[in-house]
Amino acid sequence: MRKAAVGTALVCAATACAVAALIVRHRMKNSSRWSRAMAILKEFEEKCATPIGKLWMVADAMAVEMHAGLASDGGSKLKMLISYVDNLPTGYEKGLFYALDLGGTNFRVLRVQLGGKEKDVKQQAMEAIIPPHLMIGGSNELFDFIAAKLAEFVSSESGDFQLPAGRQRELGFTFSFPVRQTSLASGTLIKWTKGFSIDEMIGEDVVSELTKAMERQGLDMRVTALVNDTVGTLAGGRYSDKDVVSAVILGTGTNAAYVEKAHAIPKWHGLLPKSGEMVINMEWGNFRSSHLPLTDYDLSLDAESLNPGEQIFEKIISGMYLGEILRRVLLRLAEEASLFGDVVPPTLSVPFSLRTPVMSAMHHDSSPDLRVVESKLKEILGVVNTSLKTRKLVVELCHIIARRGARLSAAAIVGILKKQGRDTSTEKQRTVVAMDGGLYEHYSEFSERLEGTLTEMLGETVASTVTVTRATDGSGIGAALLAASHSQYLGTEES
Ligand code: GLC
């Protein structure tokens, strides 16, 4: 009996020891995994740092590159494209005009009835999604699709929107890619950005491609203005506030336009406009500088993108890429620190599987136990049972990525203010920046950080003279306004 009892006790003790050893090993494994995760996080945070001194170097570099891009074509990574918009809306524009806005995965068509000096604007819009295969297919396919949607929209014109008899419909075309304009209503595509890639379009005249497609649809419409979204936003912004002197887009892509003195554009060989001014489309998404805080994740994202070596600034700031940067960091954490357990969630290896709106939702999760983060990780990556510690880490990553993007965007705006001589002014000169784009509109951690950084850089006094105003969908109205101010019927009665 005794022997048996001793035996049993020994077996129990041995089992307890083994279990304890397992627990200790498990804990050690967990703690070494966790310290690996912390090391990866810390390294990432350091590489993304944007102290104020660095931001000023970025702002200075932006201003220097602006000069170089204005001096000659190819003088800088910044294309500094001449928009041929030398007169912004006056507020007297009148009549029915159409606008078409193509620049991302969605496109919009608008019908705008401008009421003249009462600035009474009526509008109707229709939105459609560009099927992904058309973004990388042939140019006829893309333009036929767009023209067909436009024709469908035109056919629904109603009594409120009246075209005087015998007139041709006129359109402002917002085409948000880098275009070398040859006049206000013509220009050739330099390259694609934001996931579009249709080689046969490069070097082609964008307006004649659209015009041919409209003809194929039996649509009699004339393009009287071809504008970038930044230029459209600037025009739309100026219509409602005369102090708007620049526009910034923070959406799928990012870019800015501003009003420049025509004589400060050495590469401008045309007639000096009466206004003495010209709107410049900077194409700042292609900005690159040794001062930009780039990480290995950014470099591999770029190398594997459709446009390697291009749009580096855009790739660390804009809505198309922020979620993808997060995915890349999480993938490394899953592989090297088993952040989501022993198996790496397969979706995490799929490029662009984690979109910026998801990142934004996780970043804004204010529940104490981070329920939104938990449900997004489950829904998108199929990861269940995440610890609070893991979820906090995910939020911290969102914070690092968004903060870098927002602070760099602010530095770039300061670069423009510097070029315009508006970064030190203490006079009562008001400077308004019209801002549009889904990232700015929907990601408040981003927009608030951007505005805070502007104040941090400029100081309270100067910052109080600079206003950032939301110009939601301003580029469509802006294009319609520019179509109106360049109408073929200008000067005739009722125009
Ligand atoms: C990309 C385009 C640019 C556009 C911006 C915002 O950077 O190249 O033309 O303005 O996206 O849509």
Side-chain angles (χ1 to χ4, degrees), residues 259-277:
V259 181
E260 182 57 278
K261 293 185 195 71
H263 65 74
I265 313 172
K267 70 180 181 185
W268 168 252
H269 302 302
L271 287 177
L272 217 53
K274 267 202 227 122
S275 65
E277 293 181 332

Side-chain angles (χ1 to χ4, degrees), residues 214-485:
M214 291 195 297
E215 281 165 10
R216 288 196 290 272
Q217 294 295 328
L219 187 59
D220 178 25
M221 193 179 253
R222 181 187 178 119
V223 179
T224 59
L226 169 69
V227 294
N228 186 262
D229 50 357
T230 52
V231 178
T233 302
L234 180 43
R238 177 65 71 90
Y239 186 66
S240 18
D241 186 336
K242 65 174 183 19
D243 291 326
V244 169
V245 285
S246 58
V248 173
I249 303 287
L250 283 162
T252 307
T254 183
N255 189 12
Y258 75 106
V259 181
E260 182 57 278
K261 293 185 195 71
H263 65 74
I265 313 172
K267 70 180 181 185
W268 168 252
H269 302 302
L271 287 177
L272 217 53
K274 267 202 227 122
S275 65
E277 293 181 332
M278 176 64 75
V279 174
I280 299 292
N281 164 16
M282 292 176 60
E283 286 295 327
W284 86 8
N286 201 38
F287 174 68
R288 184 166 199 168
S289 153
S290 56
H291 302 303
L292 288 181
L294 294 178
T295 66
D296 289 345
Y297 309 98
D298 304 310
L299 300 180
S300 59
L301 181 157
D302 174 48
E304 291 160 32
S305 70
L306 280 175
N307 51 354
E310 305 277 343
Q311 302 294 105
I312 299 300
F313 195 52
E314 181 157 276
K315 285 173 182 160
I316 55 175
I317 284 182
S318 79
M320 176 156 175
Y321 302 100
L322 296 188
E324 172 63 5
I325 301 170
L326 175 63
R327 181 194 69 84
R328 285 170 180 268
V329 187
L330 286 178
L331 179 60
R332 170 136 184 248
L333 283 162
E335 284 173 349
E336 293 183 21
S338 308
L339 187 69
F340 300 118
D342 290 332
V343 181
V344 175
T347 322
L348 203 49
S349 308
V350 179
F352 294 96
S353 52
L354 219 162
R355 315 295 307 191
T356 305
V358 172
M359 166 176 163
S360 167
M362 296 198 291
H363 194 171
H364 292 103
D365 187 355
S366 55
S367 64
D369 47 358
L370 299 175
R371 289 274 149 238
V372 178
V373 178
E374 182 183 40
S375 78
K376 291 290 172 195
L377 290 175
K378 189 167 162 197
E379 180 191 323
I380 312 289
L381 304 178
V383 176
V384 284
N385 297 330
T386 46
S387 67
L388 184 57
K389 207 156 81 163
T390 300
R391 303 200 286 267
K392 280 188 176 159
L393 170 59
V394 173
V395 175
E396 185 54 26
L397 291 174
C398 298
H399 179 65
I400 295 170
I401 296 167
R403 180 179 54 196
R404 178 182 67 165
R407 286 174 68 78
L408 289 173
S409 308
I413 293 174
V414 172
I416 300 181
L417 294 175
K418 212 175 143 123
K419 176 73 185 65
Q420 292 178 311
R422 288 167 180 266
D423 61 321
T424 52
S425 154
T426 49
E427 299 157 27
K428 282 280 154 264
Q429 144 177 275
R430 215 175 141 249
T431 298
V432 183
V433 183
M435 184 77 85
D436 197 9
L439 180 66
Y440 189 81
E441 198 185 335
H442 303 300
Y443 203 142
S444 57
E445 284 284 342
F446 191 102
S447 47
E448 281 160 20
R449 176 79 49 176
L450 186 158
E451 281 161 34
T453 308
L454 276 178
T455 309
E456 188 183 334
M457 289 185 78
L458 297 171
E460 294 283 349
T461 316
V462 177
S464 68
T465 67
V466 178
T467 309
V468 176
T469 135
R470 279 175 205 218
T472 311
D473 294 332
S475 71
I477 303 256
L481 286 163
L482 291 169
S485 54

Side-chain angles (χ1 to χ4, degrees), residues 168-182:
Q168 191 183 21
R169 287 188 183 79
E170 293 177 308
L171 174 83
F173 182 16
T174 307
F175 183 72
S176 309
F177 299 95
V179 166
R180 191 164 314 285
Q181 306 245 173
T182 39

Side-chain angles (χ1 to χ4, degrees), residues 31-43:
S31 82
S32 78
R33 281 169 171 182
W34 195 249
S35 40
R36 181 79 195 111
M38 286 295 114
I40 292 174
L41 171 75
K42 191 155 173 280
E43 186 199 8

Side-chain angles (χ1 to χ4, degrees), residues 14-37:
T15 312
C17 277
V19 169
L22 260 179
I23 291 171
V24 170
R25 212 175 315 141
H26 183 71
R27 281 201 185 136
M28 271 175 53
K29 209 168 144 200
N30 266 351
S31 82
S32 78
R33 281 169 171 182
W34 195 249
S35 40
R36 181 79 195 111

